[in-house]
């Protein structure tokens, strides 16, 4: 299926929406997800601190059996959930 991205626009966005439009003046596509993820990192500070504490705790592990995968995914789940609620509004 072929999508004509030049036909897309976000003219429906309220003036208070501070996300960039999908296309800039030079018709270069812009992914608002990155900016949303950056904004969502602050509210997800708790899972990030848990991940950093785990990483510090296992820093000297040479066996390779200890890991912080769960904390890492908890942090990114928080960021993704926060960004998704805002991102899909722009994709309507």
């Amino acid at each position: 299926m072929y999508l004509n991205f030049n036909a897309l626009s976000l003219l429906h966005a309220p003036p208070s929406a501070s996300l960039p439009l999908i296309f800039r003046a030079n018709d270069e596509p812009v992914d608002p997800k990155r900016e949303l993820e950056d904004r969502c990192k602050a509210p997800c500070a708790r899972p990030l601190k848990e991940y950093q504490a785990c990483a510090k705790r296992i820093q000297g592990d040479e066996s390779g059996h200890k890991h912080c995968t769960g904390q890492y995914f908890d942090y990114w789940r928080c960021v993704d959930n926060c960004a998704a609620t805002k991102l899909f509004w722009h994709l309507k």
Side-chain angles (χ1 to χ4, degrees), residues 44-85:
C44 295
R46 184 176 178 200
L48 177 61
K49 287 181 182 179
E50 291 173 3
Y51 170 69
Q52 291 170 336
C54 177
K56 187 176 181 180
R57 222 176 17 254
I58 67 165
Q59 193 171 15
D61 177 44
E62 294 182 18
S63 68
H65 293 292
K66 297 179 182 178
H67 57 83
C68 298
T69 307
Q71 291 85 350
Y72 178 80
F73 283 124
D74 288 344
Y75 170 66
W76 280 105
R77 183 182 310 117
C78 178
V79 172
D80 285 343
N81 287 339
C82 172
T85 59

